[in-house]
Amino acid sequence: MRFELTILGSSSALPTSQRNLTAHVLNVYERFFLIDCGEGTQIQLRRNKIKFGRINHIFISHLHGDHIYGLFGLLSSFNLLDRTEDLHIYAHEPLKKGIRYMIRNYEGRFNYSIRFHPLDPHQQHKIYEDLRLSVYAFPLRHSIPSSGFLFVEKPRELNIRKGYVKKYNISVRQIQQIKNGADFVPENGPVIPNEQITEPPYRQRSYAFCTDTAYDESVIPYIRQADLLYHEATFADEHQDQAEATLHATARQAGKIAQKAGVKQLIIGHFSARYKEEQINRLLEEAREEFASTQLAYDGLVHPIYPYRVGRD
Amino acid sequence: MRFELTILGSSSALPTSQRNLTAHVLNVYERFFLIDCGEGTQIQLRRNKIKFGRINHIFISHLHGDHIYGLFGLLSSFNLLDRTEDLHIYAHEPLKKGIRYMIRNYEGRFNYSIRFHPLDPHQQHKIYEDLRLSVYAFPLRHSIPSSGFLFVEKPRELNIRKGYVKKYNISVRQIQQIKNGADFVPENGPVIPNEQITEPPYRQRSYAFCTDTAYDESVIPYIRQADLLYHEATFADEHQDQAEATLHATARQAGKIAQKAGVKQLIIGHFSARYKEEQINRLLEEAREEFASTQLAYDGLVHPIYPYRVGRD
């Protein structure tokens, strides 16, 4: 039942000796969804013992080199590791040609197929769905088309409270109906409402990924009340001018977005390489002035989101 | 007077948690020459504290992804670090377009110029020269055009033995003549032969880089008596069939080339990721059966070649 983020890289355009370029992995029930693929991602995947064969879907926010230069090596390694399963890539349209160019010029034929799914840079849309998960892309504001992603767990079946099945001798057909939300009607006796016979439902967990982007309140509706928000925080307050000029965000602005969107937790990352490790704490302080529940990204950070039940009034 | 190799990556096509993809740096009198640029090279350069600004020349052996996917990120970082100096890249012709494609699609304009020098895949030729160093490219045998490189130090000026200048009151003009090899003719007295008045000359140091390549004796004349040879050793004896099929070499074959070429030292690398670290010792043993003075490459290996004087009979 895992819903767990691993951060593989947390630097912005320049890697440092401590921080690799952007890449995240979201583990949803042991399926691994890769988000962005900066140079060195395949090495970071190995370090974090994430099996390459578990990755079937890669989401790319935008086509700046620091978010994609690890993709070519990773695709090549998939091939060398005898992958045959289709790989799905969700990215802005021009990358399709870029991947084809790379394979033709530096690789040769791959044993597996790449299914390319172009993102719409202009509006929110659902880009992926399976039994457990839906993924949405939505526009960010950056110097080139850039998309955020929202990963939302599907509603889970209700569980029948312990003892009820045996006590009332409930049939298999009835069990399924109750799990789907029906009340239980015993042969003799009064109707038992669904809320009484089932545990409170689990809340749908969610993860929102917002980088690269300027401060942009128009993302708020797309990420409202997410369990976890990763938002870029390239700069400190003192470099806000530069954030504006380059269409990046400050740590404080990331905190503001988290606060206005009412998310539960914020992780900030994509730090400019100008800040030494000891200076990055300042970014944390600035973000926390806006949103207390903020933490710093670091390479190798594992952040599980635990299932929890919704309270019933 | 440094002439020193640093190995940044020593794995073949797949990186491992211990070994990055191919990249070497040769430090010649504090100028840094980068050879191949596998994914992660810029991170390895940082780890090894090699200043990006000292790199003006990059040599690429061949256009397989594992030797070039670090190039795009490195070029991008040069730009972000406000490089203005020209960068020279020596590689097979198609990479020129590849670099242009990358810059156009994922970067924007660079602040510095890239000077591209195409390699001739068919014959040995001099590709670079300065006051200290000549670099030659020569053909290897691989599935696509592949070039080896030989870095040869230029002959150094002779040094006049201690005390002679003062004793004979030698003029500045005469000093230069003697350093260039002339005998010394005092105003009164017999000619002093150059061998007597100067220290024995330093031998020209050299480094030969041969990967990717099948076993190919035709490289021997190009690398004869090199101080240091790096030769690929992708496979152990037991996988010699596979070496032949993929046009790679075994460790034993690397040893044979070193032995036949009469080099002084051999470093083997580019190991298949199938071999665990403890198995790589077997490759060392197999190479040493052919050529005793062999060592294993590892990431971060620094191998200085010290200046030494040629004996005079």
Side-chain angles (χ1 to χ4, degrees):
Chain A
M1 306 303 185
R2 238 186 268 239
F3 197 94
E4 182 178 276
L5 176 69
T6 301
I7 293 181
L8 302 176
S10 56
S11 189
S12 62
L14 283 169
T16 70
S17 57
Q18 307 284 314
R19 296 180 184 274
N20 282 271
L21 298 164
T22 303
H24 288 197
V25 176
L26 188 69
N27 175 349
V28 180
Y29 297 72
E30 304 311 315
R31 291 178 169 218
F32 290 78
F33 298 84
L34 180 62
I35 314 164
D36 279 356
C37 195
E39 183 180 353
T41 295
Q42 62 169 324
I43 294 156
Q44 289 294 86
L45 285 168
R46 280 185 191 278
R47 281 212 190 105
N48 288 276
K49 304 202 187 310
I50 293 166
K51 294 215 175 82
F52 286 20
R54 287 278 173 80
I55 299 171
N56 294 326
H57 301 275
I58 302 178
F59 302 84
I60 301 290
S61 62
H62 68 298
L63 306 189
H64 275 154
D66 57 318
H67 293 253
I68 59 168
Y69 288 156
L71 188 60
F72 308 132
L74 182 63
L75 300 188
S76 169
S77 291
F78 279 154
N79 187 51
L80 290 165
L81 293 166
D82 295 327
R83 181 188 187 101
T84 53
E85 203 162 345
D86 287 0
L87 180 75
H88 296 265
I89 298 179
Y90 308 78
H92 294 280
E93 183 73 39
L95 188 63
K96 187 175 180 180
K97 269 175 82 175
I99 292 169
R100 220 186 277 146
Y101 184 96
M102 178 276 300
I103 296 175
R104 195 176 52 231
N105 285 282
Y106 312 129
E107 295 294 333
R109 248 187 98 75
F110 277 180
N111 305 313
Y112 65 94
S113 297
I114 294 172
R115 306 276 171 217
F116 191 89
H117 306 268
L119 301 178
D120 182 339
H122 303 300
Q123 56 189 328
Q124 189 204 34
H125 58 131
K126 190 188 278 186
I127 55 175
Y128 173 78
E129 185 167 23
D130 65 21
L131 288 171
R132 311 287 197 193
L133 185 73
S134 303
V135 185
Y136 300 83
F138 51 86
L140 300 175
R141 191 158 68 85
H142 196 44
S143 52
I144 60 169
S146 186
S147 294
F149 300 110
L150 179 71
F151 295 77
V152 190
E153 190 179 23
K154 288 264 180 86
R156 285 161 64 180
E157 276 188 335
L158 294 165
N159 280 326
I160 298 176
R161 285 182 198 274
K162 239 179 163 178
Y164 272 82
V165 174
K166 209 163 175 189
K167 181 174 173 190
Y168 291 96
N169 192 24
I170 307 175
S171 72
V172 172
R173 197 173 57 92
Q174 285 171 316
I175 288 172
Q176 198 50 56
Q177 288 167 342
I178 294 164
K179 286 185 165 189
N180 291 342
D183 297 335
F184 175 56
V185 189
E187 291 208 4
N188 312 313
V191 168
I192 305 177
N194 187 276
E195 293 83 36
Q196 184 184 327
I197 201 166
T198 61
E199 305 270 4
Y202 283 103
R203 200 176 173 288
Q204 297 163 248
R205 292 170 287 181
S206 57
Y207 171 56
F209 175 93
C210 293
T211 191
D212 290 4
T213 186
Y215 178 76
D216 181 9
E217 295 187 0
S218 72
V219 303
I220 291 169
Y222 308 133
I223 63 174
R224 191 159 271 149
Q225 296 190 309
D227 288 300
L228 180 63
L229 167 64
Y230 176 88
H231 196 288
E232 75 142 277
T234 310
F235 293 106
D237 279 350
E238 66 165 319
H239 299 118
Q240 193 180 330
D241 287 1
Q242 199 152 345
E244 276 160 26
T246 57
L247 293 160
H248 283 296
T250 65
R252 182 179 302 282
Q253 291 173 333
K256 274 190 188 151
I257 293 289
Q259 191 274 322
K260 285 177 194 270
V263 305
K264 293 203 176 44
Q265 281 259 335
L266 169 66
I267 297 178
I268 54 172
H270 199 266
F271 307 121
S272 165
R274 82 187 58 205
Y275 304 119
K276 302 225 180 304
E277 282 303 312
E278 55 275 20
Q279 297 174 301
I280 288 178
N281 278 322
R282 190 162 35 124
L283 277 72
L284 181 62
E285 283 161 26
E286 290 170 1
R288 280 188 174 164
E289 283 173 24
E290 307 296 330
F291 186 75
S293 189
T294 303
Q295 59 177 313
L296 292 175
Y298 59 85
D299 292 14
L301 171 65
V302 177
H303 186 101
I305 303 173
Y306 295 108
Y308 55 97
R309 295 183 194 277
V310 177
R312 278 174 178 160
D313 297 325
Chain B
M1 306 304 185
R2 239 184 266 239
F3 198 95
E4 181 178 278
L5 177 69
T6 301
I7 293 182
L8 302 175
S10 55
S11 188
S12 63
L14 282 170
T16 70
S17 56
Q18 306 284 313
R19 294 179 186 275
N20 282 271
L21 298 165
T22 302
H24 288 198
V25 177
L26 188 69
N27 174 350
V28 180
Y29 297 68
E30 304 311 317
R31 291 177 169 220
F32 290 79
F33 298 85
L34 180 62
I35 314 164
D36 280 356
C37 195
E39 182 180 353
T41 296
Q42 63 170 325
I43 295 156
Q44 289 293 88
L45 286 168
R46 279 185 192 277
R47 280 212 189 105
N48 289 275
K49 304 202 187 307
I50 294 165
K51 293 214 175 83
F52 286 21
R54 287 278 173 80
I55 299 171
N56 294 325
H57 301 276
I58 303 178
F59 302 84
I60 300 290
S61 62
H62 68 299
L63 306 189
H64 275 155
D66 56 318
H67 293 252
I68 59 167
Y69 287 156
L71 187 60
F72 308 131
L74 183 63
L75 300 189
S76 169
S77 292
F78 280 155
N79 188 51
L80 289 166
L81 293 166
D82 295 326
R83 181 188 187 101
T84 53
E85 203 161 345
D86 286 0
L87 179 76
H88 297 265
I89 298 180
Y90 307 79
H92 295 280
E93 182 72 40
L95 188 62
K96 186 175 180 180
K97 269 175 82 175
I99 292 169
R100 218 186 280 145
Y101 184 93
M102 178 275 300
I103 296 175
R104 194 175 54 231
N105 285 282
Y106 311 130
E107 295 295 333
R109 249 185 98 75
F110 277 0
N111 306 312
Y112 65 95
S113 298
I114 294 172
R115 306 274 172 219
F116 191 89
H117 306 268
L119 301 178
D120 181 339
H122 303 299
Q123 57 190 327
Q124 190 202 34
H125 59 131
K126 189 188 279 187
I127 56 175
Y128 173 78
E129 187 166 22
D130 65 22
L131 289 171
R132 312 287 199 193
L133 184 74
S134 302
V135 185
Y136 301 84
F138 51 86
L140 301 174
R141 190 159 66 86
H142 196 45
S143 51
I144 59 169
S146 186
S147 293
F149 300 109
L150 180 71
F151 295 78
V152 190
E153 190 179 20
K154 288 263 181 82
R156 284 161 64 177
E157 278 188 334
L158 294 165
N159 280 326
I160 299 177
R161 283 182 201 276
K162 241 182 160 173
Y164 272 83
V165 173
K166 211 163 176 187
K167 182 173 171 189
Y168 291 97
N169 192 24
I170 307 176
S171 72
V172 173
R173 196 172 57 90
Q174 285 171 315
I175 289 173
Q176 198 51 57
Q177 289 168 342
I178 295 165
K179 285 187 166 189
N180 292 341
D183 298 335
F184 174 57
V185 189
E187 291 207 3
N188 314 310
V191 167
I192 307 178
N194 187 273
E195 294 83 38
Q196 185 183 327
I197 200 165
T198 62
E199 305 269 6
Y202 283 102
R203 199 177 173 286
Q204 298 163 247
R205 293 171 286 181
S206 57
Y207 172 56
F209 175 92
C210 293
T211 191
D212 290 3
T213 184
Y215 178 76
D216 180 9
E217 294 186 1
S218 71
V219 303
I220 291 169
Y222 307 132
I223 63 173
R224 191 159 272 150
Q225 295 189 310
D227 288 301
L228 180 62
L229 167 64
Y230 176 88
H231 197 287
E232 75 142 277
T234 310
F235 293 105
D237 279 350
E238 65 165 319
H239 298 119
Q240 193 179 328
D241 287 1
Q242 198 152 347
E244 277 161 24
T246 57
L247 294 160
H248 283 295
T250 65
R252 181 178 303 282
Q253 290 173 333
K256 274 190 188 151
I257 293 290
Q259 192 274 323
K260 285 176 195 271
V263 304
K264 294 200 177 46
Q265 281 259 336
L266 170 65
I267 297 178
I268 55 172
H270 199 265
F271 307 122
S272 165
R274 81 186 61 203
Y275 305 119
K276 303 226 179 304
E277 282 302 311
E278 56 274 19
Q279 297 174 301
I280 287 177
N281 277 322
R282 189 161 38 123
L283 277 72
L284 181 61
E285 284 162 26
E286 289 169 1
R288 282 188 172 162
E289 283 172 24
E290 306 297 328
F291 185 76
S293 190
T294 302
Q295 59 177 311
L296 292 176
Y298 59 85
D299 293 13
L301 172 65
V302 177
H303 187 102
I305 303 173
Y306 295 108
Y308 55 98
R309 297 181 192 278
V310 177
R312 279 173 176 158
D313 297 324

